[in-house]
């Protein structure tokens, strides 16, 4: 299986591809108890196993992932959440000594949305209803919105669709010489 590596060996996660898919599908069903297909939901977190799970689950649920740099300040986060119309946020509780929950409370005064700590992800995933059908996702459906840093003005969002993400991965693997199916 694949390993998500952390310095602390006790925080490492390992999944087979089958386990990753099953976990992401369950989380996708849980997401659909709070959000609808097409809703925009942000992740404000450094790279983590939870980030990977959410990315795959949102894709399977037809929810648009909005990645937000956890180093951004209140104004940048509020701008991004407002511009994309985010209905929810999953956030890392603390990043480099900053309490992101407190930051989101301030942002929530201007842009209210559902907020979930990444520490709650396992209990959130426990809401999965196995009878909830996952939607059919069209290749041209938006997968993710990535925002510029805003260094030369207000951050702007670029919409990436499922087909583009799959093709990018496929072309990188081909260029790297990975064998078919490998």
């Amino acid at each position: 299986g694949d390993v998500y590596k952390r310095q602390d060996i006790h925080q490492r996660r390992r999944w087979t591809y089958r386990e990753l898919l099953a976990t992401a599908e369950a989380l996708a069903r849980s997401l659909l108890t709070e959000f609808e297909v097409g809703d925009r939901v942000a992740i404000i977190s450094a790279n983590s196993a939870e980030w990977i799970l959410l990315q795959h689950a949102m894709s399977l649920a037809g929810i648009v992932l909005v990645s937000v740099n956890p180093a951004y300040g209140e104004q940048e986060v509020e701008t991004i959440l407002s511009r994309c119309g985010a209905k929810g946020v999953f956030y890392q509780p603390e990043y480099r000594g900053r309490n992101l929950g407190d930051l989101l409370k301030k942002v929530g005064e201007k842009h209210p949305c559902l907020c979930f700590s990444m520490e709650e992800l396992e209990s959130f995933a426990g809401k999965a209803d196995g009878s909830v059908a996952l939607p059919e996702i069209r290749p041209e459906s938006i997968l993710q919105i990535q925002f510029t840093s805003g260094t030369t003005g207000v951050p702007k969002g670029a919409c990436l669709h499922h087909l583009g993400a799959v093709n990018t991965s496929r072309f990188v693997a081909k260029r790297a010489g990975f064998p078919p199916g490998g």
Side-chain angles (χ1 to χ4, degrees), residues 57-80:
M58 287 182 188
S59 174
L60 291 165
I63 292 169
V64 178
L65 165 64
V66 180
S67 58
V68 180
N69 185 331
Y72 282 169
E74 182 181 337
Q75 182 61 45
E76 293 142 319
V77 171
E78 194 275 323
T79 298
I80 290 170

Side-chain angles (χ1 to χ4, degrees), residues 168-178:
T168 298
S169 298
R170 189 169 60 91
F171 294 145
V172 166
K174 187 174 181 174
R175 174 126 177 142
F178 294 161

Side-chain angles (χ1 to χ4, degrees), residues 41-161:
V41 176
I43 300 177
I44 304 176
S45 173
N47 294 336
S48 67
E50 293 77 17
W51 207 108
I52 293 166
L53 288 172
L54 275 169
Q55 176 184 19
H56 288 292
M58 287 182 188
S59 174
L60 291 165
I63 292 169
V64 178
L65 165 64
V66 180
S67 58
V68 180
N69 185 331
Y72 282 169
E74 182 181 337
Q75 182 61 45
E76 293 142 319
V77 171
E78 194 275 323
T79 298
I80 290 170
L81 298 182
S82 294
R83 288 187 71 121
C84 73
K87 299 274 176 80
V89 176
F90 285 85
Y91 67 95
Q92 178 178 338
E94 185 270 336
Y95 180 76
R96 295 184 178 173
R98 290 180 41 227
N99 184 316
L100 297 182
D102 287 347
L103 179 136
L104 286 169
K105 284 179 189 167
K106 291 176 187 172
V107 169
E109 294 170 10
K110 296 178 186 171
H111 183 84
C113 59
L114 298 173
C115 293
F116 302 95
S117 167
M118 294 290 238
E119 290 179 343
E120 303 171 68
L121 196 59
E122 198 169 312
S123 64
F124 182 87
K127 294 192 236 179
D129 179 350
S131 68
V132 172
L134 296 178
E136 181 179 329
I137 306 300
R138 308 229 1 110
E140 65 278 1
S141 296
I142 297 173
L143 167 70
Q144 185 173 10
I145 301 175
Q146 291 184 334
F147 279 83
T148 63
S149 64
T151 54
T152 59
V154 177
K156 296 162 196 67
C159 296
L160 309 176
H161 50 65

